[in-house]
């Protein structure tokens, strides 16, 4: 067997004493060594620490009964890990070692999971290809000359290449679902507030959400139960009850109504993506689901609204990286005394040089855009207007959910593109997000599951979007599709 198997297989074996957590961990570390030179999925590998926590699972019988006992996990490198470098794939945080763990990290370790490393991503999660990393690109395990999607590309590649059965990513406008689709795996963005964001290096706080990338829907359900829940450290985390999501997956849901926004899908969708999407709907229909036409009249505004809201929030969130509080500081060119300037000028020069040298081009572009839309005189025209249209987009979904249980669309309009292909054209890159950003703007849970391959053997993803806090129905719908298809069983050969 290549890889250690699914999350469910690993934890069942560890619980039953069929495999040792330490052996599994060693196998994962060996696989990283064997294949990550080709992929570039990891920024940091925490082999020693992982082996120590695996040993604790083997040594203490009570740890071996935990819900994620011995399950190796890779974490996107924008999730804070105490004592372990956390970079957000930015030069400005290249040597940053957080003094605390993100809440999801605490939850995972309490559940018996073993953290094996930190994965590459677009700098501060800004991008759709994982090419905007200060530490090099990650390659798609299905085609090494192609992008893995982004921004959680390292996490998606690690799971698709069967390195770890579980990885966490963050999704601000599609960064879990889109790389999951492009790498042929499952990616779940929970409802806004479902999972604590404490310890996630913020990109756009009203959109960011942490979620799992896995090989199967059941694994996504198991992972979500472990990381979800109210957290006193995140005021936006919700006091909703956390169900046993995996227990909710049994057979086909009786009367599933699936909304299909046909008008949205007429233009700009690759023909092979379209065909795979239609077959996926057919599979669901054959097994009892009802397909219902829905309209989302404001969907066309989702990309501009998203790029106004996300950049505005990013410009504010990233103001904290100034060379004083965190990470990298540029050496001052001249001291104030030498140049006859005031101390104040010197400090400003240090801020400027730190940010000029520390941030990459896409992050700078977003800070400038965001600062512009928030500035006096433009605020009403851009930021306020985008918030108003955001409400209309949310209401589109509220209306649709009066008639249907989930809304279906492709995850990405295109399969994985070639490395470098869209890098010089940010607008083309932004268009890869047309189907994912609206779930973030509306705060809704959404999942991507494998639903086919192109003739060039590139994976295609089906996206399902659910009602607020109704991950149970969303997962049941995704599971119904998975049970009647075999796409998720395919793995790339490396
Ligand atoms: N691709 C989108 C962007 O560049 C979404 C990124 C994300 O979800 N973190 O902003």
């Amino acid at each position: 067997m290549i890889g250690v198997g699914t999350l469910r297989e690993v934890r069942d074996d560890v619980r039953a004493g069929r495999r040792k957590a330490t052996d599994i961990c060693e196998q994962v570390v060996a696989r990283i060594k064997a294949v990550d030179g080709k992929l570039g999925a990891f920024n940091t590998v925490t082999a020693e620490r992982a082996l120590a926590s695996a040993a604790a699972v083997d040594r203490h019988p009570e740890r071996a009964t935990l819900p994620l006992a011995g399950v190796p996990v890779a974490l996107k490198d924008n999730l804070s890990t105490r004592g372990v470098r956390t970079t957000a794939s930015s030069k400005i945080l290249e040597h940053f070692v957080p003094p605390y763990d993100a809440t999801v990290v605490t939850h995972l370790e309490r559940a018996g999971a073993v953290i094996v490393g930190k994965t590459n991503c677009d700098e501060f999660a800004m991008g759709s290809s994982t090419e905007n990393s200060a530490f090099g690109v990650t390659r798609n395990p299905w085609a090494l000359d192609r992008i893995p999607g982004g921004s959680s590309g390292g996490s998606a590649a690690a799971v698709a290449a069967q390195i770890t059965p579980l990885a966490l990513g963050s999704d601000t406008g599609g960064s879990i679902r889109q790389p999951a689709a492009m790498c042929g795996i499952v990616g779940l963005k929970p409802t806004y507030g479902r999972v604590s964001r404490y310890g996630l290096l913020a990109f756009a706080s009203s959109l960011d959400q942490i979620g799992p990338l896995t090989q199967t829907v059941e694994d996504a359900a198991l992972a979500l139960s472990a990381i979800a829940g109210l957290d006193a450290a995140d005021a936006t985390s919700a006091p909703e009850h956390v169900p046993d999501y995996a227990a909710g997956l049994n057979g086909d849901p009786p009367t599933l109504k699936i909304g299909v926004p046909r008008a949205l899908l007429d233009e700009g969708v690759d023909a092979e993506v379209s065909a795979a999407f239609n077959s996926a709907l057919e599979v669901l229909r054959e097994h009892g689901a009802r397909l219902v036409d829905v309209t989302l009249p404001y969907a066309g505004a989702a990309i501009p609204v998203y790029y106004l809201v996300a950049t505005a929030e990013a410009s504010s969130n990233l103001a904290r990286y100034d060379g004083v509080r965190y990470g990298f500081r540029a050496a001052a060119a001249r001291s104030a005394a030498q140049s006859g300037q005031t101390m104040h000028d010197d400090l400003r020069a240090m801020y400027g040089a730190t940010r000029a040298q520390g941030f990459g081009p896409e992050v700078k572009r977003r800070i400038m855009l965001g600062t512009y839309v928030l500035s006096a005189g433009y605020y009403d025209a851009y930021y306020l207007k985008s918030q108003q249209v955001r409400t209309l987009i949310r209401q589109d979904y509220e209306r649709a959910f009066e008639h249907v249980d989930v809304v279906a669309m492709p995850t990405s309009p295109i399969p994985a593109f070639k490395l470098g292909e869209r890098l010089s054209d940010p607008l083309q890159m932004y268009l890869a997000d047309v189907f994912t950003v609206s779930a973030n703007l509306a705060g809704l849970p959404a999942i991507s599951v494998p639903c086919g391959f192109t003739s060039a053997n590139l994976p295609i993803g089906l996206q399902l979007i659910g009602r607020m806090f109704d991950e149970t129905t969303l997962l049941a719908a995704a599971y119904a599709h998975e049970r009647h298809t075999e796409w998720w069983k395919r793995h790339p050969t490396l």
Side-chain angles (χ1 to χ4, degrees), residues 76 78 122 124-129 132 150-152 170-178 203 208 306-307 310 362 366 429-430 432-433 436-437 440:
K76 185 174 183 177
N78 62 355
D122 286 297
F124 285 102
M126 298 176 188
S128 311
S129 69
N132 300 329
S151 64
S152 314
S170 66
D171 191 312
T172 305
S175 282
I176 292 173
R177 292 159 284 157
Q178 188 255 27
F203 162 10
D208 296 344
Y306 169 80
Y307 278 96
E362 182 61 25
R366 303 225 183 171
M429 187 74 93
Y430 297 170
D433 308 329
T436 48
V437 294
N440 302 77

Side-chain angles (χ1 to χ4, degrees), residues 148-344:
S151 64
S152 314
S155 286
V159 172
Q162 296 173 274
I163 296 175
T164 57
L166 169 64
L168 292 192
S170 66
D171 191 312
T172 305
S175 282
I176 292 173
R177 292 159 284 157
Q178 188 255 27
M182 290 182 169
C183 287
I185 58 167
V186 175
L188 170 65
K189 179 201 96 71
T191 308
Y192 184 78
R194 180 78 286 187
V195 175
S196 167
R197 290 180 295 110
Y198 180 72
L200 168 67
L201 304 189
F203 162 10
S205 307
S206 78
L207 302 162
D208 296 344
Q209 204 29 215
I210 300 166
L213 295 106
T214 55
Q215 288 175 31
T216 68
V217 173
E218 184 186 34
D219 283 2
L222 289 165
L224 182 61
S225 287
I227 62 173
L230 179 66
D231 178 13
D234 174 4
T236 64
S237 71
E240 304 276 324
H241 164 73
V242 180
D244 179 346
Y245 291 110
L249 303 176
N250 32 32
D252 293 336
T255 50
L256 196 61
K257 278 188 261 160
I258 301 177
V260 187
R262 292 276 173 208
L264 259 191
L265 312 173
D266 287 346
E267 261 174 76
V269 182
D270 172 276
E272 290 182 293
V273 170
S274 232
F277 173 69
N278 287 323
S279 330
L281 292 180
E282 205 38 46
V283 168
L284 286 161
R285 202 188 54 77
E286 274 167 21
H287 293 91
R290 256 184 56 207
L291 304 182
V292 180
D293 283 332
V294 293
T295 53
L296 302 170
Y298 287 95
I303 287 277
V305 169
Y306 169 80
Y307 278 96
L308 292 171
V309 173
T311 56
E313 293 185 22
S315 71
S316 162
N317 272 326
L318 270 60
R320 73 190 71 174
Y321 303 104
D322 58 5
V324 177
R325 283 171 280 214
Y326 300 90
F328 172 75
R329 175 184 299 176
R334 293 173 298 176
S335 80
Q338 284 168 330
S339 63
Q341 290 173 315
T342 65
M343 189 85 131
H344 186 239

